[in-house]
């Protein structure tokens, strides 16, 4: 299933690194920036997370909730958050179930090896729970700025 702008965002309920559960239903009435990334502590994922960190106050000023999602476990997320002082939650989607619902989990290839993983992508979810913008080709270095700019035009 391919998601399109205007579709209802697939609901989710995932724990963060501390065990607190976040669900889309509980976030209704707020705009959500849900970004999926392949792996904690990798160069691209670190650049992307630090971009959101560096602009986090601007996201808060726009009443946007930032949530990162990967298949890493809570311990990995905790280390990543501590190492880079990330002010937003990273959610644990160990089996890739939520990423699958968003269409961003599947077969990947790297250096001749095939494996299942998350494709770097972001979804802006409106306060009514519908998809406002979908980013399927993300440049980690500039993505946080791009999303922030788009929040003003949606």
């Amino acid at each position: 299933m391919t998601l399109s702008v205007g579709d209802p965002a697939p609901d989710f309920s995932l724990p963060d690194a501390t065990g607190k559960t976040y669900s889309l239903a509980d976030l209704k009435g707020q705009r959500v920036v849900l970004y999926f990334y392949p792996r904690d502590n990798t160069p691209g994922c670190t650049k992307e997370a630090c971009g959101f960190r560096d602009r986090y106050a601007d996201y808060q000023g726009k009443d946007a909730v930032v949530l990162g999602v990967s298949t890493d476990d809570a311990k990995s997320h905790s280390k990543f958050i501590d190492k880079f002082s990330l002010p937003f939650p990273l959610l644990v989607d160990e089996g890739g179930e939520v990423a699958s619902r968003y269409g961003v989990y599947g077969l990947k290839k790297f250096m001749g090896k095939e494996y299942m993983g998350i494709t770097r992508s972001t979804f802006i979810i409106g306060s009514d729970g519908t998809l406002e913008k979908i980013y399927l080709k993300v440049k980690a270095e500039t993505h946080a700025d791009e999303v922030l700019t788009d929040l003003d035009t949606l």
Side-chain angles (χ1 to χ4, degrees):
M1 175 179 99
T2 303
L3 296 173
S4 300
V5 169
D7 287 348
D11 197 13
F12 61 84
S13 186
L14 292 172
D16 72 0
T18 67
K20 179 181 176 185
T21 299
Y22 286 79
S23 70
L24 188 57
D26 292 341
L27 296 168
K28 250 208 169 101
Q30 299 178 75
R31 200 177 225 180
V32 177
V33 175
L34 186 67
Y35 83 93
F36 292 88
Y37 65 99
R39 191 70 57 218
D40 291 339
N41 285 303
T42 57
C45 296
T46 298
K47 286 177 188 170
E48 184 177 23
C50 289
F52 282 113
R53 176 201 64 201
D54 294 346
R55 301 302 303 269
Y56 189 65
D58 297 322
Y59 280 93
Q60 287 184 305
K62 296 181 186 306
D63 293 322
V65 175
V66 176
L67 299 172
V69 181
S70 82
T71 56
D72 293 305
D73 62 23
K75 185 176 180 181
S76 177
H77 280 346
S78 289
K79 287 180 181 178
F80 192 43
I81 288 167
D82 291 345
K83 185 174 181 180
F84 295 103
S85 302
L86 303 179
F88 50 85
L90 298 179
L91 306 182
V92 178
D93 186 19
E94 280 191 79
E97 182 184 322
V98 172
S100 292
R101 280 190 245 149
Y102 278 81
V104 298
Y105 184 80
L107 192 62
K108 296 176 75 174
K109 285 185 179 183
F110 183 69
M111 296 180 69
K113 289 186 178 179
E114 289 187 345
Y115 62 97
M116 296 298 286
I118 288 179
T119 302
R120 188 182 315 282
S121 49
T122 300
F123 299 82
I124 298 177
I125 303 167
S127 58
D128 62 354
T130 61
L131 296 170
E132 291 185 331
K133 181 100 177 179
I134 299 170
Y135 305 85
L136 297 178
K137 301 221 186 245
V138 171
K139 290 188 177 165
E141 297 83 4
T142 57
H143 187 56
D145 289 333
E146 176 186 17
V147 173
L148 196 57
T149 299
D150 289 345
L151 284 172
D152 286 333
T153 61
L154 295 173

